Amino acid sequence: MSTVCGFVERIKYRNEDNGYTVLSLVNEGKEYTLVGNFHYISEGEMVEAVGAMTEHPVYGEQMTVETYEIKAPEDTAAMERYLGSGAIKGVGAALAARIVKRFKADTFRILEEEPERLSEVKGVSEKMAMTISQQVEQKKEMRQAMMFLQEYGISMNLAAKIYQEYGPRLYGIIKENPYQMADDIQGVGFKMADEIARKVGIFTDSDFRIKCGVLYSLLQATSSGHTYLPEDELLSQSSELLKVDRSLIEKHLMDMQLDKRLVIRETEGRRVVYASQYYYMELNAAKMLHDLNIRGQMPEGDIQSKLLKLQKEEKIELDDKQVKAVVEAVNSGLLILTGGPGTGKTTTINTIIRFFESEEMEILLAAPTGRAAKRMTEATGYEARTIHRLLELSGLPGDERSVGMHFERNEENPLDADAVIIDETSMVDINLMQSLLKAINPGTRLILVGDVNQLPSVGPGNVLRDMIDSQCFNVVMLTKIFRQATQSDIVVNAHKINGGEKISLGKKSNDFLFIKREDPNAIISAIITLVQDKLPGYVHANIFDIQIMTPMRKGAMGVERLNTILQEFLNPPSEDKLQKEANGIIYRVGDKVMQIKNNYNIEWEVRNKYGIPVDKGTGIYNGDTGIIREINNFAELITVEFDESRLVEYSYKQLEELELAYAITIHKSQGSEYPAVVIPVFSGPRMLMTRNLIYTAVTRAKACVCLVGVPEIFQEMVNNETEQRRYSGLKDRICEINHLS
């Protein structure tokens, strides 16, 4: 073991999550490179470190630090170096030199005990003197706090957030009510707070613990799409989570309602419980939908005659329901247009756009995902954006708490348009719908387009279905399959699936193939052959554009197993491909990966052939797929290229946001379209093997669907009408407001 002592000249790299740091330490003109985990450190500080000296093949000699201690600067040169390093705001090198020249070796005692004397130095006011002193003390306090929080297993990054939120108060909060952190700090959930409380010795029947556990149960339910839970289910789930009797939980519900943390309502003869923010999201959305739903003044005869002229000019022929959709779009503040594949939704939207154009109306188009927006642009010839871009998401890039993240377009700064058309509305959850509605003034037409038989949104709510089921809005459902579409077995069989009809899987088809295999390994072998050899030439696409989709994450045909196997065949390891293992996943240069959570503030850029950035922005969203282009083990960064050549750098701590995407769940395919899809068909949980799941998968294919597996299981899925019940109250809120008006 070696010992070195010196001042931190430069921090070369720091992982704020675990404190892993690479820094240069200077002592008497000699520079050392130190690597290790440092609780909290800044440039200019004095450090005594103990560790092993090693020879890195690329970066040369460095010390791997075992233990270290931050010391107060002992000589005047070290004091001057620390004060002038930038660690203290407002103190540069020149001022640091004047302070040390005035107080010499007594400088740090003066800073801590007599800070007012700093005003004796030229250029330092009394106010500035106190600010400098406070900063020195705060840095000392922060170091102590970080070390204290580390004892409870809290990461460096989270410890910094906790200190920023509470300052010196954090000691009392940790010891008395750590559950407060779950309310105040993003990244601290109930389970982390509960583990800290256990270490501190807080009782399991603590009021703080029970109330936090109830909210945790409700917010966990939102990850399954629910906006509320029936009271009985909430009590059962909370009791199991907290390991306390239901009666102890029940008595707190009324108090939490009085504190406005819960809303309790009566629905279908039973009490239901909302986390208050979700109740008010539904209520506000219902009110805004009602306000948009107003009638226009244009006589229907005028619309019909203009439409006939438009059809002749564009050489299109509309059926009765499509004509009705155009008429309602012109004369309705709110229209829902729904229908399956091949029923003419795109033709109808295009006709509506042309009609609005002829009236010199301003039109905006959007969809929930980048892929869906790109498809909408291709289908209409008009620029379509993601809803997030339409609403001008804004904030502070790099701030992981998303502090300040908000939409610039809202009730105070609404969208400047006569009509807004949203595609793939089945994917829109209650959070995004509320934000969209805030940005649309009554008088602006809102046209919502979607297939109600698709899977519902990943986020909470059942927005499109609730709106249709309320029977309070104009809904046009297209049902006729057009002649051109009838030539596609994908379209014909999708409608058969939706109707629960039997499909002849032995029929020869150009675009709907079923390959019979009984054994899981035989299914995987057939899938690899299809993706590697057969399909790329058949659909004129590369292997990364062909998507394998499966109902489940776990099991023989689950995403996790499939991706591990497919990676070995489609992107095998080689000496010229760097890789990084994290969270049990190997990430390799050339891998296809998917973003699995919305990250509104991650930065992307587009570079020209010389590597110079030509465009930049923020935001990568749940379901976006890309290819790993570079892995930098020294900087701990992985570069991923997404659609439209957008390059994003992920630090290793962000890899939990990425997973391999050779195979994805059918849920993750929503809003996307692929040249070909390959679907393994094998036994799985009945709640997943449903009609709307296989319907969604089949309708994702543009040119070819290949199902591989057991025919009987495919038919069981077609017959299984059960859908996982979603607890959502938007329909009730809409009906209540409609009744009151």
Side-chain angles (χ1 to χ4, degrees):
M1 287 287 175
S2 303
T3 302
V4 295
C5 188
F7 73 92
V8 179
E9 183 180 58
R10 188 162 72 89
I11 293 175
K12 299 177 179 178
Y13 172 76
R14 182 167 176 80
N15 182 326
E16 293 295 346
D17 196 45
N18 56 24
Y20 179 80
T21 306
V22 180
L23 58 84
S24 60
L25 194 78
V26 173
N27 182 17
E28 296 180 358
K30 185 172 182 182
E31 183 177 337
Y32 301 89
T33 298
L34 272 58
V35 297
N37 289 68
F38 292 81
H39 292 296
Y40 175 78
I41 201 162
S42 59
E43 291 175 355
E45 293 190 290
M46 291 294 297
V47 173
E48 184 176 270
V50 178
M53 302 302 293
T54 58
E55 188 71 26
H56 191 279
V58 177
Y59 305 110
E61 188 182 55
Q62 57 186 35
M63 173 187 273
T64 301
V65 175
E66 294 285 331
T67 61
Y68 72 95
E69 185 180 352
I70 294 176
K71 294 180 165 290
E74 293 173 352
D75 57 52
T76 55
M79 291 177 189
E80 184 178 326
R81 196 177 291 117
Y82 173 72
L83 289 175
S85 68
I88 307 298
K89 287 180 184 175
V91 180
L95 181 55
R98 293 202 300 275
I99 291 171
V100 174
K101 185 179 179 182
R102 174 71 181 82
F103 299 113
K104 299 184 174 58
D106 212 21
T107 296
F108 265 74
R109 188 194 68 77
I110 296 290
L111 284 168
E112 291 177 2
E113 297 175 15
E114 301 178 78
E116 66 280 357
R117 286 191 58 194
L118 289 173
S119 59
E120 296 172 17
V121 177
K122 184 182 177 183
V124 180
S125 65
E126 283 188 24
K127 184 178 178 182
M128 187 179 180
M130 298 310 294
T131 300
I132 293 168
S133 174
Q134 284 166 6
Q135 285 188 68
V136 171
E137 184 62 27
Q138 190 178 43
K139 284 186 171 294
K140 185 177 172 183
E141 284 176 0
M142 188 169 185
R143 274 197 297 272
Q144 292 169 345
M146 300 293 258
M147 295 177 76
F148 171 77
L149 292 169
Q150 287 276 297
E151 293 172 17
Y152 294 97
I154 296 170
S155 72
M156 295 296 298
N157 193 28
L158 204 50
K161 290 180 187 177
I162 292 168
Y163 183 80
Q164 285 162 12
E165 180 73 27
Y166 300 127
R169 292 191 301 124
L170 71 88
Y171 300 100
I173 287 165
I174 291 282
K175 289 174 179 172
E176 293 165 23
N177 178 20
Y179 299 100
Q180 186 177 333
M181 293 190 296
D183 287 341
D184 297 341
I185 299 169
Q186 190 171 336
V188 179
F190 168 78
K191 293 204 168 177
M192 180 181 286
D194 205 36
E195 179 60 23
I196 294 168
R198 187 186 64 76
K199 290 178 179 175
V200 171
I202 290 172
F203 294 118
T204 56
D205 61 353
S206 151
D207 290 355
F208 295 132
R209 180 172 186 266
I210 289 172
K211 289 178 179 180
C212 189
V214 167
L215 280 176
Y216 176 77
S217 295
L218 284 171
L219 295 177
Q220 280 295 101
T222 65
S223 64
S224 299
H226 307 304
T227 57
Y228 67 79
L229 284 176
E231 184 180 41
D232 193 57
E233 284 190 35
L234 174 62
L235 291 171
S236 295
Q237 290 181 21
S238 301
S239 175
E240 188 176 337
L241 171 75
L242 296 164
K243 301 291 186 283
V244 300
D245 191 80
R246 285 167 56 123
S247 60
L248 286 173
I249 301 167
E250 207 165 356
K251 69 179 187 181
H252 286 293
L253 296 186
M254 189 55 69
D255 288 344
M256 293 178 75
Q257 190 173 14
L258 292 172
D259 291 341
K260 297 185 177 178
R261 299 171 83 183
L262 301 181
V263 173
I264 301 175
R265 293 295 305 264
E266 194 87 19
T267 298
E268 297 175 0
R270 60 179 175 177
R271 280 160 57 99
V272 303
V273 186
Y274 285 87
S276 57
Q277 67 263 42
Y278 283 99
Y279 175 77
Y280 288 109
M281 271 183 207
E282 289 187 342
L283 187 63
N284 292 338
K287 175 71 168 63
M288 290 184 286
L289 287 166
H290 175 269
D291 292 347
L292 286 175
N293 193 28
I294 53 180
R295 293 299 297 172
Q297 303 300 318
M298 187 179 289
E300 188 168 328
D302 291 357
I303 300 172
Q304 294 276 11
S305 61
K306 288 186 178 186
L307 185 53
L308 279 171
K309 183 183 173 187
L310 188 63
Q311 287 184 81
K312 284 178 184 175
E313 289 172 359
E314 300 287 335
K315 295 179 182 175
I316 54 174
E317 194 174 323
L318 304 179
D319 73 3
D320 291 344
K321 287 193 174 179
Q322 289 177 303
V323 170
K324 183 186 177 189
V326 178
V327 172
E328 290 296 338
V330 175
N331 261 348
S332 298
L334 176 60
L335 171 68
I336 298 169
L337 177 64
T338 185
T343 56
K345 290 197 300 292
T346 299
T347 300
T348 308
I349 295 168
N350 283 335
T351 308
I352 290 169
I353 291 170
R354 302 294 180 271
F355 194 103
F356 286 167
E357 266 192 325
S358 71
E359 297 292 307
E360 298 185 344
M361 293 167 64
E362 186 73 28
I363 312 156
L364 293 173
L365 277 61
T369 66
R371 277 180 174 266
K374 188 177 178 183
R375 283 174 56 201
M376 197 179 186
T377 299
E378 290 166 354
T380 63
Y382 281 79
E383 183 197 3
R385 289 170 276 180
T386 63
I387 297 173
H388 291 91
R389 281 204 177 186
L390 179 75
L391 300 180
E392 298 175 20
L393 184 76
S394 158
L396 305 172
D399 179 359
E400 291 185 9
R401 291 182 66 198
S402 297
V403 172
M405 297 303 297
H406 63 281
F407 291 116
E408 293 288 343
R409 295 290 182 173
N410 50 40
E411 55 269 63
E412 294 174 2
N413 181 27
L415 293 166
D416 185 15
D418 299 299
V420 177
I421 304 175
I422 306 294
D423 199 8
E424 297 283 2
T425 309
S426 62
M427 296 179 65
V428 178
D429 64 21
I430 190 62
N431 298 281
L432 191 54
M433 180 55 76
Q434 180 189 228
S435 297
L436 174 66
L437 294 172
K438 282 181 179 178
I440 300 176
N441 270 342
T444 298
R445 292 165 179 79
L446 176 61
I447 299 163
L448 302 174
V449 185
D451 185 346
V452 77
N453 294 306
Q454 298 273 4
L455 292 167
S457 59
V458 174
N462 209 355
V463 173
L464 184 62
R465 186 176 291 279
D466 277 359
M467 288 179 66
I468 292 171
D469 289 350
S470 74
Q471 299 182 355
C472 293
F473 308 111
N474 290 315
V475 178
V476 177
M477 186 170 289
L478 304 177
T479 54
K480 178 184 173 183
I481 306 175
F482 283 83
R483 188 176 62 200
Q484 188 178 353
T486 61
Q487 296 169 10
S488 163
D489 285 325
I490 294 174
V491 171
V492 171
N493 288 336
H495 284 272
K496 285 184 176 180
I497 290 168
N498 196 34
E501 298 175 37
K502 190 168 178 63
I503 295 170
S504 175
L505 299 177
K507 174 190 168 187
K508 285 196 173 181
S509 171
N510 292 324
D511 62 1
F512 193 96
L513 313 172
F514 198 104
I515 300 168
K516 295 181 183 179
R517 296 288 187 274
E518 300 286 334
D519 177 70
N521 292 330
I523 292 172
I524 293 171
S525 179
I527 288 172
I528 291 167
T529 301
L530 283 167
V531 175
Q532 269 190 325
D533 304 325
K534 305 291 186 186
L535 286 173
Y538 187 66
V539 297
H540 308 293
N542 67 48
I543 61 172
F544 293 113
D545 289 331
I546 296 163
Q547 189 60 62
I548 299 155
M549 297 190 297
T550 181
M552 63 210 84
R553 292 197 60 82
K554 306 285 185 184
M557 289 295 115
V559 162
E560 292 173 8
R561 180 170 186 253
L562 284 174
N563 272 320
T564 303
I565 295 168
L566 291 164
Q567 183 187 44
E568 290 302 299
F569 282 91
L570 302 180
N571 187 33
S574 68
E575 290 183 3
D576 62 338
K577 288 181 185 174
L578 287 176
Q579 62 184 47
K580 162 69 181 174
E581 184 173 357
N583 310 313
I585 298 172
I586 293 172
Y587 299 90
R588 186 176 295 137
V589 170
D591 274 337
K592 182 179 180 181
V593 291
M594 173 180 278
Q595 175 80 13
I596 58 170
K597 61 187 280 191
N598 288 336
N599 188 330
Y600 302 119
N601 47 19
I602 196 167
E603 295 175 310
W604 55 260
E605 65 181 26
V606 178
R607 300 173 192 159
N608 64 17
K609 63 181 180 180
Y610 304 108
I612 299 168
V614 292
D615 190 16
K616 58 177 59 180
T618 58
I620 297 293
Y621 304 111
N622 191 350
D624 286 354
T625 56
I627 306 294
I628 295 176
R629 296 301 184 198
E630 185 183 347
I631 294 177
N632 185 327
N633 282 319
F634 179 71
E636 297 194 349
L637 293 173
I638 286 184
T639 303
V640 178
E641 181 179 353
F642 288 95
D643 287 344
E644 298 167 337
S645 304
R646 292 173 300 156
L647 294 169
V648 177
E649 288 185 342
Y650 289 83
S651 66
Y652 284 178
K653 69 176 180 178
Q654 292 174 299
L655 290 182
E656 62 187 21
E657 295 185 18
L658 289 176
E659 66 182 22
L660 295 176
Y662 298 103
I664 63 173
T665 62
I666 295 167
H667 279 88
K668 291 287 188 185
S669 73
Q670 288 173 270
S672 297
E673 188 176 69
Y674 309 96
V677 300
V678 181
I679 308 164
V681 181
F682 196 69
S683 60
R686 181 172 166 76
M687 63 183 287
L688 287 177
M689 311 297 281
T690 62
R691 180 184 297 174
N692 70 338
L693 198 80
I694 195 68
Y695 172 79
T696 299
V698 167
T699 55
R700 299 305 89 204
K702 192 172 184 180
C704 188
V705 170
C706 291
L707 299 119
V708 186
V710 185
E712 293 78 12
I713 290 173
F714 172 77
Q715 196 58 48
E716 284 173 17
M717 291 183 77
V718 174
N719 296 339
N720 183 7
E721 286 187 85
T722 58
E723 291 181 36
Q724 193 173 1
R725 170 74 192 271
R726 278 200 171 198
Y727 298 121
S728 64
L730 181 61
K731 173 188 166 185
D732 294 337
R733 306 289 85 77
I734 291 168
C735 292
E736 286 167 3
I737 287 171
N738 207 56
H739 179 71
L740 289 171
S741 64

